[in-house]
């Protein structure tokens, strides 16, 4: 989820292939009924939008920002209301992409995006009054830094307040970097290998003044 406004919802998606990406938004909690995006309630989405051609950044890296705009006569999002959403990539929704179940074995491991298996992920529209506003704020993120992971705490907070008025509605990250220049040594080989796979070729790093003074970044 990238941005939520009264008449706008946007998601940022990175995909391997340049396939259409569709965003669908429903009112309330919804459970995915099929791999193709239907919900068990049978309700129709309140809004839908498709990014037909994601932008290419590498051989196996394409990015799309899919934006739903609720223009009149469609009403704006209801303040404080919970909304569910599904992201369809090339004809498969989140359930079809196997992202709505707990994956506790194999690689990679992960939990269902909606915190309960087959439940779609969701967001809460900003409330009508400031006393009900719940914001989460963080700065730079350094995976190998000391202390606890604040985003893991926030994840627990959202799960524990999923359908209550105390659930955070928006997250603001106001730091100036991701510490890409200060990465744990154990993480570098994995990142370099993944970068080569996504971009299609290993990165060459300059080591001296001459054109041939380079080294393979994956080494």
């Amino acid at each position: 989820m990238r941005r939520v406004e009264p008449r706008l919802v946007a998601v940022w998606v990175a995909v391997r292939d340049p396939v259409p990406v569709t965003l669908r938004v429903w009112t309330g909690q919804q459970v995915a009924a099929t791999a193709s995006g239907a919900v068990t309630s049978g309700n129709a989405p309140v809004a839908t939008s498709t990014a037909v051609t994601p932008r290419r950044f590498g051989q196996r890296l394409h990015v799309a920002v899919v934006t739903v705009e609720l223009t009149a006569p469609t009403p704006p999002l209801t303040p404080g209301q919970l909304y569910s959403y599904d992201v369809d990539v090339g004809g498969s929704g989140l359930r079809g992409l196997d992202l709505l179940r707990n994956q506790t074995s194999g690689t990679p491991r992960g939990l269902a995006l909606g915190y309960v298996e087959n439940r779609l992920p969701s967001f809460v529209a900003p409330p009508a009054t400031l006393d009900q506003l719940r914001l989460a704020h963080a700065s730079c993120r350094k995976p190998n830094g000391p202390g606890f992971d604040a985003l893991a705490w926030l994840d627990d907070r959202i799960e524990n307040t999923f359908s209550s008025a105390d659930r955070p509605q928006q997250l603001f990250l106001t730091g100036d970097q991701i510490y890409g220049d200060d990465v744990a040594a154990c993480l570098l080989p994995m990142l370099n290998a993944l970068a080569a796979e996504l971009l299609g070729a290993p990165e060459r790093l300059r080591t001296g003044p001459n054109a041939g003074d380079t080294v393979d970044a994956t080494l």
Side-chain angles (χ1 to χ4, degrees), residues 24 34-35 39-40 61 75 83 91 93 101 105-106 112-113 124-125 133 138 145-146 150 165 175-176 184 200:
R24 298 183 179 92
T34 67
V39 292
T40 55
L61 177 59
Y83 290 88
R101 70 179 181 90
S105 62
L113 288 183
V124 176
L133 185 62
D176 62 349

Side-chain angles (χ1 to χ4, degrees), residues 31-45:
V31 175
T34 67
S36 59
V39 292
T40 55
S41 68
N43 295 343

